[in-house]
Amino acid sequence: MPARRPVAGLIAASAAVLMLAACTAGPAGGGGGELSYEDSPLTKYLEAVNGEWTEERAIADAKKTEELKAECMAGEGFEYVPVDQSQGMSIMGEDEMAERETEEWVASNGWGMVQTQEEMEQQQEEAEEFVDPNQPYVETLSPSEQEAYWATLYGVPPSEEEIGEDGSYEYKWEEAGCEGAAQHEINGDNYWEDEQFADLNEAMGKLWESTAKQPDMIALDEKWAECMADAEYPDFTTRSDAQNSIMEAQNALYEVGDDGQTYEEPSAETLAELKQQEIDVALADFRCAEKLDYQDKQLAAQFALEEQFIEDHEAELEELVAAYGKGEE
């Protein structure tokens, strides 16, 4: 079944295995050591399928996608100038990732979730600096022609009936206009949407849940919770609880009233207070994780499960690589 994606924006699809290390690692920073996410046995096994994502490859793919979109739009009778997406792409490199896993960075940014008023204003300024080279042409079109233009480029927006309660909808590249067609030509078919490998994909998706249920991890989380309680945060059971507490507080600031219309923008003071709360909780989490060597122990538990997974599903994984392996690029 095709994936469901948020209406708020197009999110690049990725296989469960590519997110496995990030999901199991919990909040960034704390307890880093000899092991790293790149050591994931399952990720290495499936490199032949997923390829190695680099900034250079991402930029090249974005450029080719824009060129294909222009060809597609021309075929439909519209003009489209390829947009340089490279300046708007933010790909975290190894140096930036390492910086985020330092106490100094956490003490200034927390987990980097809550944005203050000043940070949002800066982002808005940067967004306003972007000039869409297609805007002058679009403005020459009539309202009905503009509607057809956007539908041709991105597809017809989903109806209310097609949107789930969580704001997602069933995405099909065939219905996503020229952009969907261009992205499909670049990326090809996705094995996580292939019914032949549905059971394997489901098993990979659930693999990260197994890590948290391992006896060693349960014991580690208990020690982490004790450490957090000593730091005056007694309500957390796992590391994800700490981060989720900030997410929930942030979401509450943007909730619409029961009437479905009432909404009050959070003040700069409110955002600043929540940002400081995030920093305080994240810093306590970081220090407890460092004390317990949390990340190394968690990755060791995860990688052991991955090795067992590869052994248990070797035949299915070999079929997957045979069907979707990209070979040398």
PDB file of all heavy atoms in Angstrom, residues 259-292:
ATOM      1  N   ASP A 259     -13.687  25.451  19.722  1.00  0.00           N
ATOM      2  CA  ASP A 259     -14.575  25.908  18.651  1.00  0.00           C
ATOM      3  C   ASP A 259     -13.958  25.733  17.271  1.00  0.00           C
ATOM      4  O   ASP A 259     -14.579  26.013  16.250  1.00  0.00           O
ATOM      5  CB  ASP A 259     -14.961  27.376  18.848  1.00  0.00           C
ATOM      6  CG  ASP A 259     -13.740  28.289  18.899  1.00  0.00           C
ATOM      7  OD1 ASP A 259     -12.603  27.788  18.711  1.00  0.00           O
ATOM      8  OD2 ASP A 259     -13.912  29.493  19.129  1.00  0.00           O
ATOM      9  N   GLY A 260     -12.683  25.266  17.241  1.00  0.00           N
ATOM     10  CA  GLY A 260     -12.022  25.043  15.960  1.00  0.00           C
ATOM     11  C   GLY A 260     -11.503  26.302  15.309  1.00  0.00           C
ATOM     12  O   GLY A 260     -10.959  26.266  14.204  1.00  0.00           O
ATOM     13  N   GLN A 261     -11.626  27.435  15.977  1.00  0.00           N
ATOM     14  CA  GLN A 261     -11.206  28.705  15.376  1.00  0.00           C
ATOM     15  C   GLN A 261     -10.317  29.531  16.300  1.00  0.00           C
ATOM     16  O   GLN A 261      -9.380  30.179  15.857  1.00  0.00           O
ATOM     17  CB  GLN A 261     -12.446  29.531  14.991  1.00  0.00           C
ATOM     18  CG  GLN A 261     -13.302  28.864  13.929  1.00  0.00           C
ATOM     19  CD  GLN A 261     -14.526  29.688  13.580  1.00  0.00           C
ATOM     20  OE1 GLN A 261     -14.903  30.606  14.305  1.00  0.00           O
ATOM     21  NE2 GLN A 261     -15.166  29.357  12.474  1.00  0.00           N
ATOM     22  N   THR A 262     -10.613  29.520  17.591  1.00  0.00           N
ATOM     23  CA  THR A 262      -9.872  30.342  18.535  1.00  0.00           C
ATOM     24  C   THR A 262      -8.412  29.900  18.611  1.00  0.00           C
ATOM     25  O   THR A 262      -8.115  28.726  18.793  1.00  0.00           O
ATOM     26  CB  THR A 262     -10.494  30.253  19.943  1.00  0.00           C
ATOM     27  OG1 THR A 262     -11.876  30.547  19.848  1.00  0.00           O
ATOM     28  CG2 THR A 262      -9.817  31.228  20.886  1.00  0.00           C
ATOM     29  N   TYR A 263      -7.529  30.862  18.458  1.00  0.00           N
ATOM     30  CA  TYR A 263      -6.102  30.559  18.514  1.00  0.00           C
ATOM     31  C   TYR A 263      -5.342  31.810  18.913  1.00  0.00           C
ATOM     32  O   TYR A 263      -5.586  32.900  18.390  1.00  0.00           O
ATOM     33  CB  TYR A 263      -5.591  30.055  17.163  1.00  0.00           C
ATOM     34  CG  TYR A 263      -4.086  29.959  17.082  1.00  0.00           C
ATOM     35  CD1 TYR A 263      -3.407  28.946  17.744  1.00  0.00           C
ATOM     36  CD2 TYR A 263      -3.341  30.902  16.379  1.00  0.00           C
ATOM     37  CE1 TYR A 263      -2.033  28.859  17.706  1.00  0.00           C
ATOM     38  CE2 TYR A 263      -1.959  30.821  16.329  1.00  0.00           C
ATOM     39  CZ  TYR A 263      -1.315  29.799  16.988  1.00  0.00           C
ATOM     40  OH  TYR A 263       0.051  29.723  16.962  1.00  0.00           O
ATOM     41  N   GLU A 264      -4.437  31.650  19.837  1.00  0.00           N
ATOM     42  CA  GLU A 264      -3.634  32.776  20.304  1.00  0.00           C
ATOM     43  C   GLU A 264      -2.157  32.461  20.111  1.00  0.00           C
ATOM     44  O   GLU A 264      -1.657  31.457  20.619  1.00  0.00           O
ATOM     45  CB  GLU A 264      -3.931  33.069  21.779  1.00  0.00           C
ATOM     46  CG  GLU A 264      -3.201  34.295  22.300  1.00  0.00           C
ATOM     47  CD  GLU A 264      -3.574  34.620  23.736  1.00  0.00           C
ATOM     48  OE1 GLU A 264      -4.575  34.056  24.226  1.00  0.00           O
ATOM     49  OE2 GLU A 264      -2.867  35.433  24.366  1.00  0.00           O
ATOM     50  N   GLU A 265      -1.471  33.302  19.368  1.00  0.00           N
ATOM     51  CA  GLU A 265      -0.044  33.106  19.094  1.00  0.00           C
ATOM     52  C   GLU A 265       0.743  33.198  20.397  1.00  0.00           C
ATOM     53  O   GLU A 265       0.541  34.122  21.200  1.00  0.00           O
ATOM     54  CB  GLU A 265       0.444  34.180  18.122  1.00  0.00           C
ATOM     55  CG  GLU A 265       1.827  33.925  17.557  1.00  0.00           C
ATOM     56  CD  GLU A 265       1.809  32.893  16.440  1.00  0.00           C
ATOM     57  OE1 GLU A 265       0.765  32.705  15.808  1.00  0.00           O
ATOM     58  OE2 GLU A 265       2.880  32.305  16.204  1.00  0.00           O
ATOM     59  N   PRO A 266       1.621  32.226  20.665  1.00  0.00           N
ATOM     60  CA  PRO A 266       2.411  32.307  21.901  1.00  0.00           C
ATOM     61  C   PRO A 266       3.319  33.527  21.891  1.00  0.00           C
ATOM     62  O   PRO A 266       3.866  33.899  20.850  1.00  0.00           O
ATOM     63  CB  PRO A 266       3.212  30.996  21.887  1.00  0.00           C
ATOM     64  CG  PRO A 266       3.239  30.574  20.458  1.00  0.00           C
ATOM     65  CD  PRO A 266       1.935  31.028  19.881  1.00  0.00           C
ATOM     66  N   SER A 267       3.482  34.126  23.042  1.00  0.00           N
ATOM     67  CA  SER A 267       4.312  35.321  23.150  1.00  0.00           C
ATOM     68  C   SER A 267       5.785  34.972  23.099  1.00  0.00           C
ATOM     69  O   SER A 267       6.178  33.814  23.292  1.00  0.00           O
ATOM     70  CB  SER A 267       4.012  36.054  24.463  1.00  0.00           C
ATOM     71  OG  SER A 267       4.428  35.254  25.567  1.00  0.00           O
ATOM     72  N   ALA A 268       6.606  35.990  22.858  1.00  0.00           N
ATOM     73  CA  ALA A 268       8.057  35.789  22.836  1.00  0.00           C
ATOM     74  C   ALA A 268       8.545  35.292  24.196  1.00  0.00           C
ATOM     75  O   ALA A 268       9.451  34.452  24.274  1.00  0.00           O
ATOM     76  CB  ALA A 268       8.756  37.089  22.459  1.00  0.00           C
ATOM     77  N   GLU A 269       7.928  35.804  25.272  1.00  0.00           N
ATOM     78  CA  GLU A 269       8.317  35.386  26.621  1.00  0.00           C
ATOM     79  C   GLU A 269       7.994  33.911  26.856  1.00  0.00           C
ATOM     80  O   GLU A 269       8.793  33.168  27.447  1.00  0.00           O
ATOM     81  CB  GLU A 269       7.605  36.257  27.665  1.00  0.00           C
ATOM     82  CG  GLU A 269       8.041  37.710  27.690  1.00  0.00           C
ATOM     83  CD  GLU A 269       7.447  38.529  26.539  1.00  0.00           C
ATOM     84  OE1 GLU A 269       6.504  38.025  25.878  1.00  0.00           O
ATOM     85  OE2 GLU A 269       7.928  39.658  26.311  1.00  0.00           O
ATOM     86  N   THR A 270       6.814  33.490  26.381  1.00  0.00           N
ATOM     87  CA  THR A 270       6.416  32.090  26.553  1.00  0.00           C
ATOM     88  C   THR A 270       7.367  31.156  25.822  1.00  0.00           C
ATOM     89  O   THR A 270       7.776  30.112  26.341  1.00  0.00           O
ATOM     90  CB  THR A 270       4.983  31.874  26.032  1.00  0.00           C
ATOM     91  OG1 THR A 270       4.087  32.675  26.802  1.00  0.00           O
ATOM     92  CG2 THR A 270       4.571  30.417  26.148  1.00  0.00           C
ATOM     93  N   LEU A 271       7.730  31.524  24.595  1.00  0.00           N
ATOM     94  CA  LEU A 271       8.654  30.706  23.813  1.00  0.00           C
ATOM     95  C   LEU A 271      10.031  30.659  24.461  1.00  0.00           C
ATOM     96  O   LEU A 271      10.684  29.602  24.484  1.00  0.00           O
ATOM     97  CB  LEU A 271       8.758  31.257  22.389  1.00  0.00           C
ATOM     98  CG  LEU A 271       7.519  31.098  21.509  1.00  0.00           C
ATOM     99  CD1 LEU A 271       7.681  31.872  20.206  1.00  0.00           C
ATOM    100  CD2 LEU A 271       7.248  29.625  21.212  1.00  0.00           C
ATOM    101  N   ALA A 272      10.471  31.791  24.984  1.00  0.00           N
ATOM    102  CA  ALA A 272      11.779  31.841  25.632  1.00  0.00           C
ATOM    103  C   ALA A 272      11.799  30.954  26.878  1.00  0.00           C
ATOM    104  O   ALA A 272      12.783  30.262  27.155  1.00  0.00           O
ATOM    105  CB  ALA A 272      12.131  33.284  25.996  1.00  0.00           C
ATOM    106  N   GLU A 273      10.696  30.968  27.634  1.00  0.00           N
ATOM    107  CA  GLU A 273      10.606  30.123  28.831  1.00  0.00           C
ATOM    108  C   GLU A 273      10.639  28.640  28.471  1.00  0.00           C
ATOM    109  O   GLU A 273      11.307  27.842  29.133  1.00  0.00           O
ATOM    110  CB  GLU A 273       9.323  30.453  29.596  1.00  0.00           C
ATOM    111  CG  GLU A 273       9.347  31.820  30.275  1.00  0.00           C
ATOM    112  CD  GLU A 273       8.012  32.164  30.903  1.00  0.00           C
ATOM    113  OE1 GLU A 273       7.085  31.309  30.832  1.00  0.00           O
ATOM    114  OE2 GLU A 273       7.882  33.272  31.458  1.00  0.00           O
ATOM    115  N   LEU A 274       9.906  28.265  27.408  1.00  0.00           N
ATOM    116  CA  LEU A 274       9.899  26.864  26.997  1.00  0.00           C
ATOM    117  C   LEU A 274      11.260  26.449  26.456  1.00  0.00           C
ATOM    118  O   LEU A 274      11.707  25.318  26.678  1.00  0.00           O
ATOM    119  CB  LEU A 274       8.814  26.628  25.936  1.00  0.00           C
ATOM    120  CG  LEU A 274       8.653  25.179  25.463  1.00  0.00           C
ATOM    121  CD1 LEU A 274       8.370  24.251  26.648  1.00  0.00           C
ATOM    122  CD2 LEU A 274       7.549  25.063  24.418  1.00  0.00           C
ATOM    123  N   LYS A 275      11.928  27.364  25.771  1.00  0.00           N
ATOM    124  CA  LYS A 275      13.271  27.072  25.265  1.00  0.00           C
ATOM    125  C   LYS A 275      14.220  26.784  26.432  1.00  0.00           C
ATOM    126  O   LYS A 275      15.019  25.835  26.382  1.00  0.00           O
ATOM    127  CB  LYS A 275      13.798  28.244  24.436  1.00  0.00           C
ATOM    128  CG  LYS A 275      15.180  28.004  23.825  1.00  0.00           C
ATOM    129  CD  LYS A 275      15.120  26.894  22.780  1.00  0.00           C
ATOM    130  CE  LYS A 275      16.445  26.691  22.101  1.00  0.00           C
ATOM    131  NZ  LYS A 275      16.377  25.654  21.048  1.00  0.00           N
ATOM    132  N   GLN A 276      14.129  27.591  27.488  1.00  0.00           N
ATOM    133  CA  GLN A 276      14.986  27.375  28.643  1.00  0.00           C
ATOM    134  C   GLN A 276      14.650  26.063  29.335  1.00  0.00           C
ATOM    135  O   GLN A 276      15.542  25.336  29.804  1.00  0.00           O
ATOM    136  CB  GLN A 276      14.853  28.531  29.638  1.00  0.00           C
ATOM    137  CG  GLN A 276      15.847  28.471  30.786  1.00  0.00           C
ATOM    138  CD  GLN A 276      17.286  28.459  30.298  1.00  0.00           C
ATOM    139  OE1 GLN A 276      17.708  29.330  29.535  1.00  0.00           O
ATOM    140  NE2 GLN A 276      18.068  27.468  30.728  1.00  0.00           N
ATOM    141  N   GLN A 277      13.354  25.734  29.379  1.00  0.00           N
ATOM    142  CA  GLN A 277      12.936  24.449  29.950  1.00  0.00           C
ATOM    143  C   GLN A 277      13.521  23.295  29.152  1.00  0.00           C
ATOM    144  O   GLN A 277      14.006  22.311  29.720  1.00  0.00           O
ATOM    145  CB  GLN A 277      11.410  24.358  29.962  1.00  0.00           C
ATOM    146  CG  GLN A 277      10.879  23.061  30.548  1.00  0.00           C
ATOM    147  CD  GLN A 277       9.363  22.972  30.485  1.00  0.00           C
ATOM    148  OE1 GLN A 277       8.673  23.971  30.299  1.00  0.00           O
ATOM    149  NE2 GLN A 277       8.827  21.762  30.627  1.00  0.00           N
ATOM    150  N   GLU A 278      13.490  23.423  27.821  1.00  0.00           N
ATOM    151  CA  GLU A 278      14.075  22.384  26.966  1.00  0.00           C
ATOM    152  C   GLU A 278      15.558  22.219  27.254  1.00  0.00           C
ATOM    153  O   GLU A 278      16.059  21.089  27.389  1.00  0.00           O
ATOM    154  CB  GLU A 278      13.879  22.737  25.493  1.00  0.00           C
ATOM    155  CG  GLU A 278      14.553  21.751  24.555  1.00  0.00           C
ATOM    156  CD  GLU A 278      14.588  22.220  23.100  1.00  0.00           C
ATOM    157  OE1 GLU A 278      14.020  23.285  22.801  1.00  0.00           O
ATOM    158  OE2 GLU A 278      15.194  21.511  22.274  1.00  0.00           O
ATOM    159  N   ILE A 279      16.279  23.323  27.369  1.00  0.00           N
ATOM    160  CA  ILE A 279      17.717  23.268  27.622  1.00  0.00           C
ATOM    161  C   ILE A 279      18.004  22.591  28.961  1.00  0.00           C
ATOM    162  O   ILE A 279      18.895  21.739  29.068  1.00  0.00           O
ATOM    163  CB  ILE A 279      18.317  24.687  27.588  1.00  0.00           C
ATOM    164  CG1 ILE A 279      18.317  25.229  26.143  1.00  0.00           C
ATOM    165  CG2 ILE A 279      19.732  24.696  28.164  1.00  0.00           C
ATOM    166  CD1 ILE A 279      18.728  26.686  26.028  1.00  0.00           C
ATOM    167  N   ASP A 280      17.233  22.936  29.973  1.00  0.00           N
ATOM    168  CA  ASP A 280      17.458  22.367  31.306  1.00  0.00           C
ATOM    169  C   ASP A 280      17.251  20.851  31.303  1.00  0.00           C
ATOM    170  O   ASP A 280      18.063  20.098  31.856  1.00  0.00           O
ATOM    171  CB  ASP A 280      16.511  23.020  32.314  1.00  0.00           C
ATOM    172  CG  ASP A 280      16.829  24.495  32.546  1.00  0.00           C
ATOM    173  OD1 ASP A 280      17.957  24.914  32.215  1.00  0.00           O
ATOM    174  OD2 ASP A 280      15.940  25.227  33.042  1.00  0.00           O
ATOM    175  N   VAL A 281      16.147  20.395  30.677  1.00  0.00           N
ATOM    176  CA  VAL A 281      15.858  18.959  30.652  1.00  0.00           C
ATOM    177  C   VAL A 281      16.889  18.222  29.790  1.00  0.00           C
ATOM    178  O   VAL A 281      17.385  17.154  30.164  1.00  0.00           O
ATOM    179  CB  VAL A 281      14.431  18.699  30.120  1.00  0.00           C
ATOM    180  CG1 VAL A 281      14.168  17.191  30.038  1.00  0.00           C
ATOM    181  CG2 VAL A 281      13.389  19.346  31.017  1.00  0.00           C
ATOM    182  N   ALA A 282      17.207  18.797  28.623  1.00  0.00           N
ATOM    183  CA  ALA A 282      18.160  18.155  27.715  1.00  0.00           C
ATOM    184  C   ALA A 282      19.539  18.053  28.342  1.00  0.00           C
ATOM    185  O   ALA A 282      20.254  17.062  28.152  1.00  0.00           O
ATOM    186  CB  ALA A 282      18.236  18.936  26.396  1.00  0.00           C
ATOM    187  N   LEU A 283      19.914  19.058  29.111  1.00  0.00           N
ATOM    188  CA  LEU A 283      21.236  19.052  29.746  1.00  0.00           C
ATOM    189  C   LEU A 283      21.302  17.978  30.829  1.00  0.00           C
ATOM    190  O   LEU A 283      22.314  17.272  30.958  1.00  0.00           O
ATOM    191  CB  LEU A 283      21.528  20.429  30.333  1.00  0.00           C
ATOM    192  CG  LEU A 283      22.981  20.745  30.699  1.00  0.00           C
ATOM    193  CD1 LEU A 283      23.910  20.509  29.513  1.00  0.00           C
ATOM    194  CD2 LEU A 283      23.092  22.181  31.185  1.00  0.00           C
ATOM    195  N   ALA A 284      20.217  17.840  31.594  1.00  0.00           N
ATOM    196  CA  ALA A 284      20.179  16.777  32.607  1.00  0.00           C
ATOM    197  C   ALA A 284      20.246  15.408  31.941  1.00  0.00           C
ATOM    198  O   ALA A 284      20.959  14.503  32.401  1.00  0.00           O
ATOM    199  CB  ALA A 284      18.906  16.911  33.444  1.00  0.00           C
ATOM    200  N   ASP A 285      19.511  15.252  30.844  1.00  0.00           N
ATOM    201  CA  ASP A 285      19.530  13.998  30.084  1.00  0.00           C
ATOM    202  C   ASP A 285      20.931  13.704  29.561  1.00  0.00           C
ATOM    203  O   ASP A 285      21.432  12.577  29.663  1.00  0.00           O
ATOM    204  CB  ASP A 285      18.535  14.093  28.930  1.00  0.00           C
ATOM    205  CG  ASP A 285      18.767  13.032  27.867  1.00  0.00           C
ATOM    206  OD1 ASP A 285      18.776  11.837  28.216  1.00  0.00           O
ATOM    207  OD2 ASP A 285      18.963  13.404  26.689  1.00  0.00           O
ATOM    208  N   PHE A 286      21.568  14.716  29.007  1.00  0.00           N
ATOM    209  CA  PHE A 286      22.914  14.546  28.447  1.00  0.00           C
ATOM    210  C   PHE A 286      23.889  14.060  29.515  1.00  0.00           C
ATOM    211  O   PHE A 286      24.663  13.124  29.293  1.00  0.00           O
ATOM    212  CB  PHE A 286      23.394  15.872  27.854  1.00  0.00           C
ATOM    213  CG  PHE A 286      24.757  15.799  27.210  1.00  0.00           C
ATOM    214  CD1 PHE A 286      24.878  15.590  25.847  1.00  0.00           C
ATOM    215  CD2 PHE A 286      25.912  15.923  27.974  1.00  0.00           C
ATOM    216  CE1 PHE A 286      26.132  15.503  25.248  1.00  0.00           C
ATOM    217  CE2 PHE A 286      27.168  15.837  27.384  1.00  0.00           C
ATOM    218  CZ  PHE A 286      27.272  15.626  26.020  1.00  0.00           C
ATOM    219  N   ARG A 287      23.841  14.694  30.679  1.00  0.00           N
ATOM    220  CA  ARG A 287      24.793  14.350  31.736  1.00  0.00           C
ATOM    221  C   ARG A 287      24.542  12.947  32.284  1.00  0.00           C
ATOM    222  O   ARG A 287      25.493  12.211  32.575  1.00  0.00           O
ATOM    223  CB  ARG A 287      24.713  15.401  32.841  1.00  0.00           C
ATOM    224  CG  ARG A 287      25.301  16.742  32.418  1.00  0.00           C
ATOM    225  CD  ARG A 287      24.962  17.857  33.384  1.00  0.00           C
ATOM    226  NE  ARG A 287      25.620  19.117  32.994  1.00  0.00           N
ATOM    227  CZ  ARG A 287      25.315  20.305  33.501  1.00  0.00           C
ATOM    228  NH1 ARG A 287      24.347  20.409  34.418  1.00  0.00           N
ATOM    229  NH2 ARG A 287      25.944  21.389  33.088  1.00  0.00           N
ATOM    230  N   CYS A 288      23.266  12.566  32.398  1.00  0.00           N
ATOM    231  CA  CYS A 288      22.958  11.214  32.869  1.00  0.00           C
ATOM    232  C   CYS A 288      23.412  10.168  31.848  1.00  0.00           C
ATOM    233  O   CYS A 288      23.937   9.113  32.214  1.00  0.00           O
ATOM    234  CB  CYS A 288      21.455  11.082  33.124  1.00  0.00           C
ATOM    235  SG  CYS A 288      20.886  11.923  34.634  1.00  0.00           S
ATOM    236  N   ALA A 289      23.191  10.472  30.567  1.00  0.00           N
ATOM    237  CA  ALA A 289      23.597   9.541  29.516  1.00  0.00           C
ATOM    238  C   ALA A 289      25.116   9.393  29.479  1.00  0.00           C
ATOM    239  O   ALA A 289      25.647   8.289  29.295  1.00  0.00           O
ATOM    240  CB  ALA A 289      23.071  10.016  28.165  1.00  0.00           C
ATOM    241  N   GLU A 290      25.821  10.488  29.654  1.00  0.00           N
ATOM    242  CA  GLU A 290      27.284  10.440  29.697  1.00  0.00           C
ATOM    243  C   GLU A 290      27.764   9.576  30.861  1.00  0.00           C
ATOM    244  O   GLU A 290      28.675   8.750  30.727  1.00  0.00           O
ATOM    245  CB  GLU A 290      27.845  11.862  29.847  1.00  0.00           C
ATOM    246  CG  GLU A 290      27.848  12.684  28.580  1.00  0.00           C
ATOM    247  CD  GLU A 290      29.027  12.336  27.696  1.00  0.00           C
ATOM    248  OE1 GLU A 290      30.177  12.391  28.172  1.00  0.00           O
ATOM    249  OE2 GLU A 290      28.793  11.980  26.540  1.00  0.00           O
ATOM    250  N   LYS A 291      27.145   9.782  31.998  1.00  0.00           N
ATOM    251  CA  LYS A 291      27.529   9.044  33.197  1.00  0.00           C
ATOM    252  C   LYS A 291      27.338   7.546  33.025  1.00  0.00           C
ATOM    253  O   LYS A 291      28.139   6.739  33.522  1.00  0.00           O
ATOM    254  CB  LYS A 291      26.682   9.549  34.372  1.00  0.00           C
ATOM    255  CG  LYS A 291      26.928   8.845  35.684  1.00  0.00           C
ATOM    256  CD  LYS A 291      26.025   9.418  36.765  1.00  0.00           C
ATOM    257  CE  LYS A 291      26.211   8.691  38.095  1.00  0.00           C
ATOM    258  NZ  LYS A 291      25.305   9.250  39.148  1.00  0.00           N
ATOM    259  N   LEU A 292      26.297   7.139  32.283  1.00  0.00           N
ATOM    260  CA  LEU A 292      25.950   5.727  32.129  1.00  0.00           C
ATOM    261  C   LEU A 292      26.501   5.098  30.854  1.00  0.00           C
ATOM    262  O   LEU A 292      26.265   3.917  30.596  1.00  0.00           O
ATOM    263  CB  LEU A 292      24.421   5.575  32.143  1.00  0.00           C
ATOM    264  CG  LEU A 292      23.721   5.992  33.434  1.00  0.00           C
ATOM    265  CD1 LEU A 292      22.215   6.042  33.227  1.00  0.00           C
ATOM    266  CD2 LEU A 292      24.077   5.024  34.560  1.00  0.00           C
TER     267      LEU A 292
END
